[in-house]
Amino acid sequence: MNVANPTRIAVAALAAGILFSTAACGMSGGSGEVEEAAKTGRVAGEITFRTLQLKPTFTAYVQGVIDGFEKKYPEVKVRWEDVPGDGYNEKLVADAQAGVLPDVVNLSTDSFQLLGDRGMLADVAKLDGAVAGEYVPGAWEQFRLPGKGDGVYAYPWYVTPEILTYNRELFEKAGLDPAKPPTSVEQFFDYAEKIAASSGGRYSAFMADPKGRLPGDWQKMGVPLLDGKRERFTFDTDTAVAWVERMKDLYAKGAMPKESLLKADDINQLYGGGKLVFGPGSPGFVKDIKQNAPQVYAGTQVAGAVTGKLGHIGIYAQCLGIKKDTKHLDAATEFAKWVTNGPNQVEFSKKATIYPSNARGLADPYFADRGDGKDAETLARAVGAEQLKTAELDANTPVEWTNQVGDAVVREVQKAIKGEQDARTAVKKAQEEANKLLADAARK
């Protein structure tokens, strides 16, 4: 998914996740090296459950979930370990090489790919095909693997959808109607141009950094990222070139802070200081502004995410993978389903700005409540939940778009936005570099 970088460190693993490079891992091996476990029909044994950066903020919640499971299944003992985000990629690699992966492990989409590609995760669709109906389709589908048929290799856990946040007062100053926010990428750029023309340099429309917008914008505009076999990138199109040209034009006109093209400014600080019209597309951001910039929060408007020809939005999903050769498959799978069931996910969502991937949980009245329609945080929660109902896999960042691919594309696009090369050359070179990286990864 391409959300404009959701929430922060208190829930760093929750909303934004920890992104890892799959191409630089150096872990050898494949599915043939790990023997698949089989169910016995007995939910028993000691299993290890690893989470990412949840202590101490969510210690009581997670321990309560574990206690409830052990009460239901008294023959199971769950050993919980929580690890920091720093070095998580390396730890996964080391544990996989040593054969000591946890039985149930919290993974981001990238770290899921890291283990899934190497055959380290159990196919949960094969273990229990009926469970698919318990999750939001866009979340369940995200954990398939290219070239591995109908398998699904993790249970979806908490998710974050895209929404649109904007400063109502600055919107009106630009002659725009706050009740009619942009609904497509093209319209978003049109609005940004009007904002730049009226601001006199006092504020900007949005952040320039292309990494926060790609590949999401291209997908929404109907740009085909990959060929049918998912073996080559194919985004070198007239539409992608037009996007780069528009970004260059808007950048020159002051629609984006100049420094934000190359450096990651604090978008919350800029928005909270009244220097930015559009905030990050994350419900968690609204909560941050409420706490840190109450005056700006009072004028913050929330709407559905900008979409495009597909009419879909992307989501960011955390998941629970099952170690393929776990000694206690029944206990591990039942525990993963327990953690991700409706009631447990709803309770978690009330403690952090996240959403259930579980369809029953998402149907809880808590997520439909819009209050009086004026409080941005309450409205953001309801809008985000509504967006999740239409979230689809084709709006999410494909697993082939690794961090290295994204960086390579961004480097070329940045040059074009600064006027150092033309847009068509930038997109062509970006695709060439992306395909080199894709080919290199395939050979490993």
Side-chain angles (χ1 to χ4, degrees), residues 92-141:
L92 280 175
V93 172
D95 288 349
Q97 288 177 327
V100 292
L101 277 176
D103 300 280
V104 182
V105 58
N106 178 189
L107 302 169
S108 69
T109 49
D110 280 359
S111 49
F112 158 77
Q113 178 75 9
L114 168 68
L115 297 183
D117 269 353
R118 290 157 177 82
M120 300 290 176
L121 300 176
D123 180 351
V124 301
K126 179 180 176 182
L127 292 172
D128 186 2
V131 78
E134 297 181 14
Y135 299 94
V136 175
W140 177 257
E141 293 293 323

Side-chain angles (χ1 to χ4, degrees), residues 70-378:
E70 290 180 341
K71 182 177 181 180
K72 183 177 181 179
Y73 296 103
E75 292 187 80
V76 177
K77 174 64 178 175
V78 179
R79 185 167 62 86
W80 176 29
E81 61 179 45
D82 187 74
V83 298
D86 291 344
Y88 192 61
N89 185 25
E90 291 78 7
K91 183 170 178 58
L92 280 175
V93 172
D95 288 349
Q97 288 177 327
V100 292
L101 277 176
D103 300 280
V104 182
V105 58
N106 178 189
L107 302 169
S108 69
T109 49
D110 280 359
S111 49
F112 158 77
Q113 178 75 9
L114 168 68
L115 297 183
D117 269 353
R118 290 157 177 82
M120 300 290 176
L121 300 176
D123 180 351
V124 301
K126 179 180 176 182
L127 292 172
D128 186 2
V131 78
E134 297 181 14
Y135 299 94
V136 175
W140 177 257
E141 293 293 323
Q142 183 151 345
F143 298 106
R144 296 191 187 278
L145 288 165
K148 296 204 174 186
D150 294 329
V152 175
Y153 294 88
Y155 293 97
W157 196 5
Y158 48 86
V159 297
T160 304
E162 291 179 86
I163 62 170
L164 186 70
T165 57
Y166 53 101
N167 184 310
R168 182 170 57 246
E169 179 183 350
L170 298 183
F171 222 65
E172 291 174 337
K173 284 184 177 180
L176 300 169
D177 184 352
K180 297 179 180 179
T183 58
S184 68
V185 176
E186 294 87 349
Q187 190 178 39
F188 180 88
F189 285 161
D190 290 342
Y191 280 31
E193 187 164 2
K194 291 181 179 180
I195 290 166
S198 66
S199 71
R202 295 184 299 276
Y203 50 87
S204 303
F206 65 101
M207 301 295 275
D209 180 17
K211 193 166 187 177
R213 306 200 65 83
L214 294 178
D217 276 8
W218 286 351
Q219 289 169 293
K220 290 174 180 180
M221 295 170 75
V223 173
L225 295 184
L226 292 155
D227 64 14
K229 294 183 178 181
R230 303 178 74 95
E231 294 176 346
R232 291 188 62 78
F233 285 105
T234 57
F235 54 76
D236 183 2
T237 62
D238 289 345
T239 303
V241 171
W243 181 92
V244 176
E245 290 174 338
R246 194 74 193 275
M247 284 283 286
K248 176 184 177 181
D249 181 58
L250 289 170
Y251 185 70
K253 290 178 177 177
M256 320 164 210
K258 294 294 183 185
E259 63 278 8
S260 68
L261 180 62
L262 301 174
K263 138 176 121 90
D265 286 348
D266 189 333
I267 187 170
N268 290 35
Q269 186 176 2
L270 286 173
Y271 182 90
K275 300 294 185 182
L276 205 64
V277 176
F278 292 104
S282 159
F285 158 75
V286 179
K287 185 174 184 178
D288 285 346
I289 292 300
K290 184 177 184 178
Q291 294 174 342
N292 300 315
Q295 288 184 321
V296 173
Y297 172 80
T300 292
Q301 196 100 347
V302 176
V306 168
T307 58
K309 292 182 179 180
L310 297 175
H312 298 158
I313 67 160
I315 59 174
Y316 185 85
Q318 291 272 329
C319 66
L320 295 182
I322 306 296
K323 180 183 177 183
K324 189 175 182 180
D325 58 350
T326 175
K327 295 179 180 178
H328 304 291
L329 184 60
D330 300 76
T333 54
E334 289 303 317
F335 180 69
K337 288 192 289 185
W338 174 265
V339 174
T340 61
N341 71 24
N344 282 329
Q345 288 211 40
V346 170
E347 185 182 351
F348 201 3
S349 299
K350 290 180 178 180
K351 298 178 183 299
T353 311
I354 54 174
Y355 294 77
S357 63
N358 185 284
R360 177 185 167 196
L362 193 62
D364 189 281
Y366 173 73
F367 297 101
D369 181 16
R370 291 176 176 249
D372 61 4
K374 297 178 181 179
D375 179 66
E377 184 180 9
T378 303

Side-chain angles (χ1 to χ4, degrees), residues 3 36 84 103:
V3 170
E36 188 166 9
D103 300 280

Side-chain angles (χ1 to χ4, degrees), residues 33-68:
E33 296 184 6
V34 178
E35 184 178 350
E36 188 166 9
K39 283 190 173 183
T40 65
R42 182 185 175 198
V43 182
E46 180 174 324
I47 59 174
T48 302
F49 173 43
R50 177 182 295 170
T51 57
L52 177 59
Q53 209 165 301
L54 297 187
K55 289 183 178 180
T57 308
F58 303 103
T59 298
Y61 165 75
V62 176
Q63 191 59 56
V65 170
I66 292 171
D67 292 345

